[in-house]
Amino acid sequence: MSVTLAPTTERASMFLRGFRRRTGRPVPELAALFRSIIDGGRQFHPLASDFLEHFMDGAGASRTMSLRWLRSFKVIKKAERKNQRRFERQLAREAGRLRDGASTWLHDHWDARINAFIGTELFYVSRVSLLRSQGSFVLTRDGPEVRISGTVRHRWFDPYDWDRGRWVYIPRHGFVPIAVGRELVEADEARNFLMESRHVQTLEGLFLDGRWPHRGRARFEWSLVRTGR
């Protein structure tokens, strides 16, 4: 099914409807618009088209994202690194307080908000998402050295719900009101669903006490646990 691109005045009207809670259009017309976006986007953004089709036909079943695809975007790795640095700062502080011969555990989690760049395929799949990183570490001091090891379990997630914002610009379709998705859900022509992805990293670190007035030095090495996905 395809929809002929509306003239300029009609696209301007669609943009203005993006500021309303409802579009005022018949449900079959809204469904035809989304089907047209799916068909028109397969060549340029195949995964985004696949997820929009799942929104229309997937009955709300959750979807697991490809980790390789997800981590190909800089904003995802930037969020991952942000949480890593948070753990590193915590561990360095804890290591500096640890007494000789002692060991301790550190458990914590950090959340990093992700805003996808406009025009990327990630933007059309997930405009705003969250990376939650849960870490568990053990620290052991032997003289001036503190050995650190641990595991961080990352969970990326975002509900696919067409609820954020007022409209989104889609190539060859212009400004599409977010209300289109809401109305299709209300009419039982589409279902929201959860997108998520999980991966695990290990950490090996070494903290060396510094002599006054120098501060301690820390070295951290992160490794991705391969799962074959």
Side-chain angles (χ1 to χ4, degrees), residues 79-87 110-112 131 133:
E80 181 182 282
R81 186 63 190 131
K82 181 178 183 178
N83 285 349
Q84 287 176 346
R85 288 195 178 105
R86 288 165 160 174
F87 283 125
W110 292 99
D111 291 343
L131 181 70
S133 305

Side-chain angles (χ1 to χ4, degrees), residues 7-21:
T8 302
T9 54
E10 179 63 20
R11 277 181 281 169
S13 178
M14 183 69 83
F15 170 77
L16 292 175
R17 279 194 291 273
F19 290 89
R20 305 173 188 169
R21 290 291 301 176

Side-chain angles (χ1 to χ4, degrees), residues 4-204:
T4 303
L5 186 64
T8 302
T9 54
E10 179 63 20
R11 277 181 281 169
S13 178
M14 183 69 83
F15 170 77
L16 292 175
R17 279 194 291 273
F19 290 89
R20 305 173 188 169
R21 290 291 301 176
R22 305 191 67 81
T23 64
R25 291 302 186 96
V27 170
E29 183 177 324
L30 300 180
L33 171 62
F34 268 22
R35 296 292 182 187
S36 177
I37 293 172
I38 292 168
D39 292 339
R42 291 195 188 281
Q43 181 180 355
F44 304 98
H45 298 303
L47 193 64
S49 294
D50 177 46
F51 273 63
L52 182 56
E53 186 172 46
H54 187 72
F55 173 70
M56 300 291 291
D57 302 329
S62 62
R63 290 289 297 269
T64 300
M65 305 290 288
S66 163
L67 179 59
R68 180 178 297 179
W69 180 86
L70 196 62
R71 293 181 81 242
S72 69
F73 295 95
K74 291 182 179 180
V75 289
I76 299 294
K77 287 191 174 181
K78 184 177 180 180
E80 181 182 282
R81 186 63 190 131
K82 181 178 183 178
N83 285 349
Q84 287 176 346
R85 288 195 178 105
R86 288 165 160 174
F87 283 125
E88 290 173 1
R89 287 193 292 268
Q90 281 184 295
L91 290 166
R93 287 195 299 268
E94 192 69 26
R97 292 193 290 260
L98 195 62
R99 293 182 179 180
D100 190 21
S103 295
T104 189
W105 283 89
L106 188 146
H107 306 276
D108 206 349
H109 78 273
W110 292 99
D111 291 343
R113 179 185 171 96
I114 300 165
N115 292 285
F117 291 115
I118 296 175
T120 64
E121 187 168 23
L122 181 62
F123 175 82
Y124 294 113
V125 172
S126 168
R127 298 171 67 184
V128 180
S129 58
L130 195 72
L131 181 70
R132 176 160 294 166
S133 305
Q134 295 183 308
S136 181
F137 311 91
V138 61
L139 301 86
T140 302
R141 177 180 283 278
D142 182 7
E145 295 185 351
V146 178
R147 298 282 177 177
I148 303 167
S149 62
T151 301
V152 174
R153 301 183 182 277
H154 301 281
R155 180 186 178 229
W156 174 92
F157 60 97
D158 181 34
Y160 192 105
D161 52 18
W162 285 80
D163 279 345
R164 296 189 185 94
R166 294 172 174 171
W167 46 261
V168 59
Y169 181 81
I170 298 179
R172 296 177 302 282
H173 288 84
F175 294 101
V176 176
I178 295 297
V180 174
R182 288 197 298 264
E183 290 187 45
L184 288 173
V185 170
E186 291 171 3
D188 204 27
E189 292 290 331
R191 295 284 181 87
N192 298 331
F193 63 93
L194 178 66
M195 302 177 291
E196 62 179 342
S197 180
R198 300 173 187 267
H199 65 284
V200 178
Q201 290 182 317
T202 58
L203 172 66
E204 294 292 334

